[in-house]
């Protein structure tokens, strides 16, 4: 199933918050850290969301959530592919993510596992780093090729 993926509007933040909460993900003040938030819509329904934090050419995938009614539709894949394309178009050099269940899929799209000591200071020094990357979490990195010109 293909969905419409677009930037989230302010009026949709509460729906996103409820989705995050229902999935057991951090939802309090989630929008304060995000540089970019995209939602996936199917019909008029919120099917999923992905959020990206920009640290001057280095991106952190902050949130990724799919509504339970759409879990079998590969919407998580579409959201990640969208955020990778967006990061590439924004000339980000690297994307990072912390994941447990999603890490095999992220590796399929090019992310590589790294140790926490390999994280750049922009990520490692975040005030909530210990919550983002608790002991035993999987750290992932994707190097992004820049788009220099359109031929």
């Amino acid at each position: 199933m293909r969905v419409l993926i677009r930037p989230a509007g302010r009026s949709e933040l509460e729906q996103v918050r409820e989705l995050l909460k229902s999935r057991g993900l951090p939802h309090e003040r989630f929008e304060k850290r995000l540089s970019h938030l995209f939602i996936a819509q199917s019909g008029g329904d919120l099917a999923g969301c992905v959020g990206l934090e920009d640290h001057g050419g280095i991106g952190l995938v902050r949130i990724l959530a799919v509504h339970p009614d759409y879990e079998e539709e590969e919407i998580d894949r579409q959201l990640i592919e969208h955020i990778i394309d967006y990061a590439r178009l924004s000339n980000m050099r690297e994307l990072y993510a912390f994941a447990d269940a999603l890490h095999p899929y992220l590796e399929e799209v090019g992310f590589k596992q790294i140790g926490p000591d390999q994280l750049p200071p922009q990520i490692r020094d975040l005030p909530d780093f210990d919550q983002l990357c608790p002991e035993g979490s999987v750290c992932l990195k994707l190097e992004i090729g820049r788009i220099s010109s359109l031929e």
Side-chain angles (χ1 to χ4, degrees), residues 119-133:
L119 292 166
Q122 298 94 315
I123 306 296
R124 200 177 47 248
D125 295 342
L126 289 170
D128 60 343
F129 178 76
D130 290 338
Q131 293 170 324
L132 284 171
C133 186

Side-chain angles (χ1 to χ4, degrees), residues 136-148:
S137 286
V138 176
C139 303
L140 299 148
K141 174 184 179 180
L142 175 69
E143 294 201 28
I144 301 173
R146 289 183 179 246
I147 296 177
S148 56

Side-chain angles (χ1 to χ4, degrees), residues 23-128:
R23 304 306 292 178
L25 297 170
H27 58 278
E28 296 295 328
R29 299 170 42 103
F30 74 93
E31 70 279 8
K32 300 293 184 200
R33 305 236 12 120
L34 297 178
S35 307
H36 312 282
L37 176 63
F38 295 93
I39 61 170
Q41 280 187 301
S42 178
D45 297 332
L46 174 67
C49 62
V50 64
L52 180 67
E53 195 172 304
D54 185 347
H55 295 279
I58 294 174
L60 173 62
V61 179
R62 201 37 124 137
I63 60 171
L64 176 63
V66 175
H67 191 282
D69 293 346
Y70 297 94
E71 282 182 339
E72 302 299 319
E73 307 297 333
E74 293 198 353
I75 291 172
D76 51 355
R77 176 180 289 273
Q78 293 175 60
L79 286 163
I80 279 293
E81 289 173 355
H82 181 84
I83 209 72
I84 291 169
D85 289 343
Y86 183 82
R88 182 174 288 117
L89 290 170
S90 299
N91 285 321
M92 289 187 188
R93 300 178 310 278
E94 302 166 347
L95 269 182
Y96 292 87
F98 303 108
D100 293 321
L102 281 177
H103 87 268
Y105 162 68
L106 292 173
E107 289 175 332
E108 286 177 24
V109 297
F111 281 82
K112 306 280 188 237
Q113 284 192 43
I114 61 170
D117 58 319
Q118 295 174 283
L119 292 166
Q122 298 94 315
I123 306 296
R124 200 177 47 248
D125 295 342
L126 289 170
D128 60 343

